[in-house]
Amino acid sequence: MERTLVLHFHELWLKGGNRNFFLGKLLMAVRQSLEPLPARARIVHSRLLVDLPEEAVPAAVERLKRVFGVVYFAVARRVAAEREALFEAARQEVLGRQFDSFAVRAKRGDKTFPMRSSEIERELGRDLLERLQAAGHPGARVNLTSPGLTCFVEITSRWALVYTEKLPGPGGMPANSAGRLVCLLSGGYDSAVAAYKVMKRGVHLVFAHFHGLPARPGESSAPIARELVRLLTPYQFTSKLYLVPFEPIQRQIVTAAPERYRILLYRRMMLRIAETLARRQHALGLVTGDSFSQVASQTLHNLNAIDRAAVLPVYRPLIGDDKQEIIQAAQRLGTYAICSEPFQDCCPLFMPRAPALHARPEELDKAEATIDVEALVKQGVESATLEKYEFRQGEVRAPGAVGGKQ
Ligand code: ATP
Ligand code: MG
């Protein structure tokens, strides 16, 4: 049997002049996500419908869980928009299910269909009730206020769609509808979750990862960053990942600055380099996985002192989250396992014994006075390599490193 996925989205952005922009982005995202399944997505009467054969439904359902903008969706039976075909589809949909009461809700998108919505509800309701009674079903009872099962009917110009179950989508705004940011992706739990949260609001991310030399072979952080980017790419279809060798920069900071400021100065250098990359990529800000007071560099004072290094805004979507909440989000997202692999981040190397908790911006400026900041930023940017990833035909491909200057 042919099926149709009925996709529901927030009505808010459907209003006003931006409607077609968002709907267009959503339609594009749905099409790209479902390739190469034999599915046809289209917009009919302000609904996004995807026609597909029944065999393709499980795969399509999995893919739609990654399409931002979809609040929930339903797998509908699709039959000709005729009374008998519609009633028969509804019987098939309803009779095998377990419930204690039911209701029919109909929407007639095409007004040429001969029955009004209220007529469909009444007559189909009666038909189902009789059959449920005949079958001795415990749900043979109509309840219009809080039914155990709702049989939804939607009439389009040619088809009647019937469904009873709504599956949750990820919500949010359609991919790539909000502009671009650069995400500082560390390989820890936090930043990947932060990335997901801003992507969910329609932001397209360019990733920047700063890596040191591994303490032991096989424990570099770069493969973790790559894996994270692979996992996140299906949400936005293409990704760029900058890998910045950071150890030479850390060495200079370690040599020139007081030990207690080290981490804060690393962070300032990361922001500056990420900001330069952001300008190159026409990105409008930076994203980090900071959360208040999780570590010493994340006190209010220190975040203020760090941020003076950048002009672009730094977004911190996890700022109010507890570690436990972030870990749970990482588990749901699937990044938890990746981030649990052992790796040598750039920061444990050269860690201070007693980091400053309440640094002032002027103190950091002073600590940087003997460092050639501009030269280090240039060095970081020029030594960065860029990798591109894309999600096409249901797979993430990484055509490989493409050099630093893109
Ligand atoms: P995460 O916060 O992702 O769990 P972490 O705990 O190792 O990683 P923090 O010390 O909490 O890192 O760093 C705060 C934020 O700074 C990170 O969330 C990330 O955005 C950024 N950051 C830290 N280290 C790196 C790195 N090596 N490369 C890119 N960004 C980094
Ligand atoms: Mg952290």
Side-chain angles (χ1 to χ4, degrees), residues 264-283:
L264 305 182
L265 299 185
Y266 301 159
R267 290 278 179 275
R268 282 178 38 134
M269 288 309 300
M270 286 183 189
L271 282 195
R272 291 186 181 107
I273 293 168
E275 182 169 55
T276 308
L277 298 174
R279 292 195 198 286
R280 185 175 282 184
Q281 292 292 332
H282 309 289

Side-chain angles (χ1 to χ4, degrees), residues 190 289 294-295 298 323:
D190 305 334
Q294 187 193 80
V295 291
Q298 293 164 350
K323 193 75 188 185

